[in-house]
Amino acid sequence: VYEADKNGSVVNLDSVAKDDAISITTDHNGVFVVVMKDAVSVPVTAVRVTPDPAFAALGESVAFRAEVEGEGSPSQQVLWSVAGQTSADTSIDESGLLRVAADETAETLTVTARATADEKVAGRVEVSLYTLGDLTGDGKVNDSDVMAACRVLARKSMNIDPTDDEVRRGDLNGDTTVSIVDVMAICKLIASRP
């Protein structure tokens, strides 16, 4: 971003982008001193990954966020990775979007965000996987899940709310509750399978 002679001395300050420099000063001999942002290390103390706890349905995607903590204003750039997957189609992209393959057989995955400013500092979250419509948690969607969803509806009629896990597994239409529409969607899933 700046021109320098063969000794590394700055010869053309006009080429220094103001956004890239922390300071441009002269020393007591009139020699320019340029301190570049890249030359200054901001200590990174932690990387926080959200959501935590995390859950993902097979065949669905979950967006993760990372917050890099440290002194001053550390770079918020991270490198994302996922571990524990059994399917080649389960992956995480550079923005933190985890895509879980429909054929994934792992029960949990580990998502990691590693600070680019200090790759020794990383945040991790364990992601519990589940099958949408599988209220019984046995890895299959069948008549037992229809009955489990009906029990949720019966409890709701007595003002007993479903558990978070029941909503997560049984809310097929995305309205944040388990309703008769979801029971019918589970029946359609069962009917559509060979």
Side-chain angles (χ1 to χ4, degrees):
V1 243
Y2 58 90
E3 293 178 38
D5 64 18
K6 63 182 176 186
N7 298 320
S9 299
V10 173
V11 294
N12 183 356
L13 276 181
D14 292 334
S15 66
V16 176
K18 298 274 191 252
D19 290 342
D20 291 335
I22 292 175
S23 65
I24 302 173
T25 59
T26 57
D27 67 10
H28 65 281
N29 294 323
V31 176
F32 288 107
V33 177
V34 179
V35 178
M36 303 301 291
K37 283 184 181 176
D38 290 345
V40 177
S41 175
V42 177
V44 174
T45 56
V47 177
R48 306 272 179 239
V49 179
T50 55
D52 185 12
F55 302 90
L58 301 183
E60 301 289 326
S61 298
V62 177
F64 287 89
R65 292 192 51 209
E67 180 183 351
V68 179
E69 299 174 352
E71 296 178 26
S73 298
S75 168
Q76 293 299 303
Q77 291 184 330
V78 296
L79 297 173
W80 291 98
S81 63
V82 61
Q85 69 270 37
T86 60
S87 172
D89 295 328
T90 294
S91 63
I92 193 163
D93 68 16
E94 66 278 353
S95 69
L97 183 66
L98 173 68
R99 289 180 178 86
V100 180
D103 66 345
E104 182 61 62
T105 59
E107 292 182 10
T108 60
L109 302 173
T110 302
V111 168
T112 301
R114 188 169 304 285
T116 58
D118 183 348
E119 292 189 13
K120 295 181 297 239
V121 182
R124 290 176 183 78
V125 64
E126 189 171 280
V127 184
S128 298
L129 304 181
Y130 63 94
T131 301
L132 199 56
D134 177 21
L135 273 81
T136 60
D138 63 0
K140 302 176 280 199
V141 179
N142 54 31
D143 295 347
S144 298
D145 300 301
V146 174
M147 296 307 298
C150 289
R151 284 191 292 277
V152 169
L153 295 181
R155 288 196 323 265
K156 280 178 63 176
S157 71
M158 296 182 297
N159 294 321
I160 301 171
D161 291 330
T163 66
D164 290 344
D165 190 54
E166 288 170 330
V167 172
R168 187 171 23 260
R169 291 171 176 272
D171 177 22
L172 276 71
N173 68 348
D175 65 356
T176 69
T177 190
V178 178
S179 67
I180 191 64
V181 174
D182 299 304
V183 174
M184 296 308 297
I186 294 169
C187 290
K188 282 177 108 176
L189 271 178
I190 295 167
S192 70
R193 294 199 176 146

